Amino acid sequence: MTVALRSDSGWRAQLVPSYPDLFHPAGDPLAAEGWPAVDDGWRELLERACARIRAAVRDDGGSFRATQIKEKYGSLRFYWSGRLSPEARTRVEEAIDLAEARTATTCEVCGEARHRKLRPRSAVSCRIQPRAAARCARCLRSNGGVLPLIF
C-alpha cells in the first residue's frame, strides 16, 4: 500500500500544483491545505473531481479552497470552503458527490470495483474496520488484512 505522506513525490505532489486555484497556499504542494490523504486507487476519481470543480469555479469567478480530502467510513470525503454563486456551488457539490459515490464501490488501493458492505456506524467496533471498507477483497488479502496508517 502506498502511504500518502506529505513527502510523497507521486501523483499527490503533481495534483496539488496542477490546481493552484483549488489548493492553498499555492506554490508549495507539501504545505497545501487539502492534501489528498487517500491511496492510489482513487487517484483518477479525484483528478476528475478537481477538473470539474475548477471548471465550475472559473465559470463563476468565485473562490474555492480544498480544506481536507480523506477516506472516512469507506468512501471519499472532500471538504472545502469558498464563495460561489448558487449555480457554481451546485456544480461543485455535484462533482464532489459523484466522486464520493464512486469511491463507495472503488477500491482505494488498486481502483478495482468492490462491493460495499453497508453497516450502521454503531456496528463498527474498532478503528480499522472503516478503512477496511475502502478496500477490495484482493487488496485486503494481499496485506494479510492489516491496514497501514495513512498520514
Side-chain angles (χ1 to χ4, degrees):
M1 173 177 166
T2 304
V3 178
L5 297 173
R6 292 273 177 155
S7 62
D8 183 3
S9 61
W11 67 269
R12 292 166 205 81
Q14 294 171 1
L15 178 77
V16 171
S18 295
Y19 294 93
D21 45 338
L22 307 183
F23 296 94
H24 300 274
D28 183 4
L30 299 179
E33 187 178 11
W35 176 270
V38 298
D39 218 329
D40 297 345
W42 291 353
R43 173 186 181 173
E44 186 177 319
L45 296 172
L46 193 53
E47 287 172 342
R48 273 190 261 150
C50 287
R52 289 180 176 131
I53 292 166
R54 171 183 270 169
V57 173
R58 282 187 173 173
D59 290 350
D60 182 66
S63 66
F64 180 95
R65 177 183 299 223
T67 58
Q68 186 177 36
I69 300 172
K70 65 179 185 175
E71 178 275 337
K72 185 172 183 179
Y73 298 115
S75 63
L76 180 73
R77 297 296 185 267
F78 193 126
Y79 301 103
W80 65 281
S81 64
R83 293 180 188 254
L84 299 170
S85 69
E87 296 81 16
R89 179 176 290 276
T90 298
R91 287 177 61 196
V92 165
E93 291 296 337
E94 285 175 354
I96 292 170
D97 290 347
L98 182 59
E100 289 178 350
R102 287 185 174 162
T103 62
T105 57
T106 304
C107 177
E108 185 184 1
V109 175
C110 69
E112 293 296 319
R114 65 181 172 88
H115 298 286
R116 183 168 183 174
K117 294 178 182 174
L118 299 175
R119 302 178 209 184
R121 287 185 185 172
S122 59
V124 176
S125 61
C126 72
R127 272 182 43 191
I128 293 177
Q129 283 181 324
R131 292 240 18 116
R135 308 300 195 271
C136 66
R138 182 173 48 95
C139 289
L140 277 173
R141 281 191 306 274
S142 70
N143 200 31
V146 178
L147 300 170
L149 296 176
I150 293 181
F151 299 96

